[in-house]
C-alpha cells in the first residue's frame, strides 16, 4: 500500500515563511518517506499511514512560532500501490501532454 498526502505547514506570521517551511521539509528526512515540495505544499508518500502521520507530526513540530497552521490531505487507497507520479502520468496520458505550462 502507498499513502499519498498533500502537506502544508507554515507559521502564521507576516513576511517570508521560507526558513520555517524549510525546517518542516527537513524534518521529513528522518522518516522513510518520499516527498516533493512545490509552491503550495509538499506531496509526501509513505508505505503506511502510521509512517506518514509520524513524519507529518515531526514536520509540524519543527516549525517555530506562536501559531502554526498545518493542512493535510491524505489519499489512502488501500487496494493498490499507486504512486504520486503514476497519478500524474495517468492525467497526462488523457491530456496528451505534460500537465505543465509556463506563463507567457
Amino acid at each position: 500500500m502507498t499513502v499519498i498526502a498533500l502537506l502544508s505547514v507554515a507559521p502564521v506570521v507576516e513576511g517570508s515563511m521560507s526558513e520555517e517551511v524549510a525546517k518542516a521539509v527537513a524534518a521529513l528526512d528522518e522518516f522513510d518517506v518520499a516527498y516533493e515540495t512545490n509552491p503550495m505544499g509538499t506531496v509526501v508518500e509513505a508505505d503506511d499511514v502510521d509512517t506518514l502521520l509520524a513524519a507529518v507530526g515531526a514536520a509540524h513540530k519543527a516549525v517555530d512560532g506562536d501559531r502554526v497552521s498545518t493542512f493535510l490531505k491524505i489519499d489512502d487507497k488501500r487496494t493498490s500501490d499507486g504512486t504520486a507520479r503514476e497519478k500524474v502520468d495517468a492525467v497526462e496520458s488523457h491530456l496528451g501532454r505534460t500537465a505543465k505550462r509556463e506563463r507567457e
Side-chain angles (χ1 to χ4, degrees):
M1 160 178 56
T2 301
V3 182
I4 303 168
L6 175 61
L7 171 66
S8 175
V9 181
V12 180
V13 296
E14 292 292 324
S16 177
M17 298 177 276
S18 60
E19 183 176 356
E20 295 303 316
V21 171
K23 291 177 185 177
V25 172
L28 298 174
D29 290 335
E30 300 301 316
F31 298 86
D32 186 20
V33 299
Y35 64 84
E36 181 177 354
T37 298
N38 62 58
M40 299 300 292
T42 299
V43 175
V44 184
E45 293 182 70
D47 288 335
D48 58 79
V49 73
D50 292 333
T51 301
L52 176 80
L53 292 174
V56 166
H60 176 83
K61 291 176 184 175
V63 174
D64 293 326
D66 294 336
R67 187 174 179 188
V68 177
S69 175
T70 297
F71 171 84
L72 178 64
K73 181 178 181 180
I74 299 174
D75 181 358
D76 185 7
K77 190 171 183 182
R78 298 173 179 173
T79 58
S80 70
D81 285 330
T83 65
R85 182 69 245 170
E86 290 169 340
K87 287 173 158 278
V88 174
D89 288 346
V91 170
E92 290 179 342
S93 175
H94 290 287
L95 192 57
R97 60 176 175 82
T98 59
K100 181 176 182 178
R101 186 178 105 182
E102 299 292 329
R103 288 179 55 188
E104 295 178 22

